Amino acid sequence: MEFRRLGRSGLTISEIAYGNWITHGSQVEEDAAVACIHAAMDAGITTFDTADVYAETRAEAVLGRALKDQRRESIEVFTKVYFPTGAGQNDRGLGRKHILESIDNSLRRLQTDYVDLYQAHRYDHSTPLEETMEAFADVVRSGKALYIGVSEWTADQLRAGHRLARELNVPFISNQPQYSALWRVIEAEVVPTSEELGVGQIVWSPIAQGVLTGKYKPGAQPPAGSRATDEKGGADFVAGWLRDDVLERVQQLRPLADEAGLSLAQLAVAWVLQNSNVSAAIIGASRPEQVTENAKAAGVTFDADLLKAIDDVLEPVVERDPALTEGHEGNDND
């Protein structure tokens, strides 16, 4: 495993992080989930990402039980707050009440005294940013989180949040956006702004919900048991990529991966890590062997010819519109 600093902070994380967005507490039984977490640790992964909303809070609890016997100083645990975790009007968003209650609930489920990174899961257009950042500052000052970050914020939102964090003397160090060889909406605005601010990207869906593994073939039904056939496993998220023009292009990447000695999934994960502003790529899994294989993307370097060849293949189907960053008003889906 290789390691990187998260932004310009002093926090070192594994460049492959393990995330349990869809799988733990819903799609995968707990024994399989724990096996995946142990496979991650065996592969040298030290960074684990979750959120209070995943599997209606069960994902945090699964992760907490799996990690409870680990030396806390040897791992990095990240979680998030924003989406509804209950029926109450204050069980959502980035208001002070929800943030301060949510961190305590997350720590209880994770069976830890603190998280290394506490993230705003989306931008809250209904709460003053000052209130949100002051609440995050209090979380850090209480010792319940070491750093703060965000997810899917626009460049302007990052700049405003970072400015307030500096005024409050709170370390704002990360953004967690969707990013893959197919989905590059952060490149035009978010990445340059983040580089200026010293914010690192912890990217999710580097294999585009499994599409970049090549298992979905043009003109064919999705394989039985795949994410595209499982409503609990994110079928809605995969659907947008299951177009023949996209799937045909992905198949054209196979000889490039073969020449590089990589699987298509490894090629996809390694591709996002070629971006110097990316601190880690989050992988998920339903089977331990998936973790073991995808973790081998760590430390892989592409030469300019390979990067250009990948671009030449995918360019007609790549999405680059920065307006699709989910922090834009009215686009707060996960």
Side-chain angles (χ1 to χ4, degrees):
M1 183 53 57
E2 299 292 326
F3 298 85
R4 301 184 178 191
R5 289 292 179 93
L6 183 45
R8 283 202 295 266
S9 78
L11 182 64
T12 299
I13 63 176
S14 53
E15 66 178 24
I16 307 289
Y18 184 80
N20 68 351
W21 164 30
I22 289 173
T23 51
H24 295 186
S26 55
Q27 185 187 32
V28 174
E29 296 300 325
E30 182 154 347
D31 56 349
V34 171
C36 288
I37 293 168
H38 289 168
M41 290 186 285
D42 289 344
I45 292 171
T46 62
T47 305
F48 297 87
D49 180 81
T50 188
D52 57 6
V53 72
Y54 294 168
E56 298 175 333
T57 75
R58 294 188 300 275
E60 281 186 329
V62 171
L63 185 62
R65 287 190 289 271
L67 295 177
K68 67 179 179 180
D69 294 327
Q70 298 301 309
R71 181 176 181 270
R72 184 64 183 85
E73 294 85 351
S74 299
I75 57 175
E76 304 86 47
V77 179
F78 301 169
T79 194
K80 312 181 196 74
V81 57
Y82 168 80
F83 287 106
T85 52
Q89 291 303 304
N90 290 301
D91 285 330
R92 65 199 69 202
L94 297 179
R96 180 177 182 82
K97 177 176 171 63
H98 185 51
I99 288 174
L100 297 184
E101 292 172 345
S102 293
I103 186 61
D104 287 341
N105 289 331
S106 288
L107 294 179
R108 174 178 49 79
R109 288 187 290 263
L110 289 165
Q111 299 188 46
T112 185
D113 295 330
Y114 70 96
V115 292
D116 298 270
L117 181 70
Y118 199 40
Q119 303 160 95
H121 208 158
R122 290 296 184 271
Y123 188 87
D124 187 351
H125 295 276
S126 65
T127 299
L129 184 57
E130 292 80 2
E131 176 179 339
T132 294
M133 298 309 294
E134 286 168 1
F136 273 121
D138 286 343
V139 169
V140 171
R141 291 180 187 130
S142 69
K144 296 175 182 178
L146 304 185
Y147 299 88
I148 62 170
V150 300
S151 178
E152 291 288 351
W153 283 28
T154 66
D156 287 345
Q157 291 160 359
L158 285 169
R159 196 178 299 281
H162 190 270
R163 182 179 64 250
L164 285 170
R166 290 199 65 175
E167 291 174 3
L168 293 162
N169 292 315
V170 176
F172 181 133
I173 65 171
S174 67
N175 179 46
Q176 187 173 131
Q178 181 181 180
Y179 186 51
S180 71
L182 288 169
W183 187 267
R184 308 189 193 183
V185 303
I186 64 171
E187 291 182 343
E189 298 176 3
V190 166
V191 166
T193 298
S194 297
E195 289 174 334
E196 174 191 336
L197 299 175
V199 168
Q201 311 302 318
I202 310 162
V203 304
W204 59 274
S205 198
I207 58 174
Q209 303 298 308
V211 170
L212 285 167
T213 67
K215 64 183 174 184
Y216 301 109
K217 305 295 195 301
Q221 290 297 310
S226 67
R227 182 169 291 184
T229 64
D230 187 346
E231 291 183 5
K232 294 189 299 180
D236 291 345
F237 296 95
V238 184
W241 291 120
L242 298 183
R243 310 189 319 257
D244 281 354
D245 59 336
V246 173
L247 302 182
E248 287 165 0
R249 292 282 171 173
V250 170
Q251 293 302 318
Q252 292 174 34
L253 293 176
R254 197 173 295 279
L256 299 178
D258 290 343
E259 186 175 347
L262 302 168
S263 69
L264 280 173
Q266 290 164 350
L267 184 83
V269 175
W271 184 89
V272 301
L273 292 170
Q274 306 310 299
N275 187 322
S276 61
N277 189 230
V278 172
S279 298
I282 300 172
I283 62 169
S286 55
R287 304 187 309 276
E289 55 269 26
Q290 293 173 318
V291 182
T292 303
E293 284 304 305
N294 290 344
K296 293 176 182 176
V300 173
T301 301
F302 292 175
D303 60 30
D305 289 343
L306 178 55
L307 285 169
K308 183 179 184 305
I310 293 169
D311 284 349
D312 289 346
V313 168
L314 294 181
E315 186 57 43
V317 293
V318 167
E319 182 56 72
R320 298 182 183 274
D321 183 1
L324 294 173
T325 300
E326 292 192 27
H328 282 279
E329 186 117 37
N331 194 20
D332 289 341
N333 298 313
D334 194 354

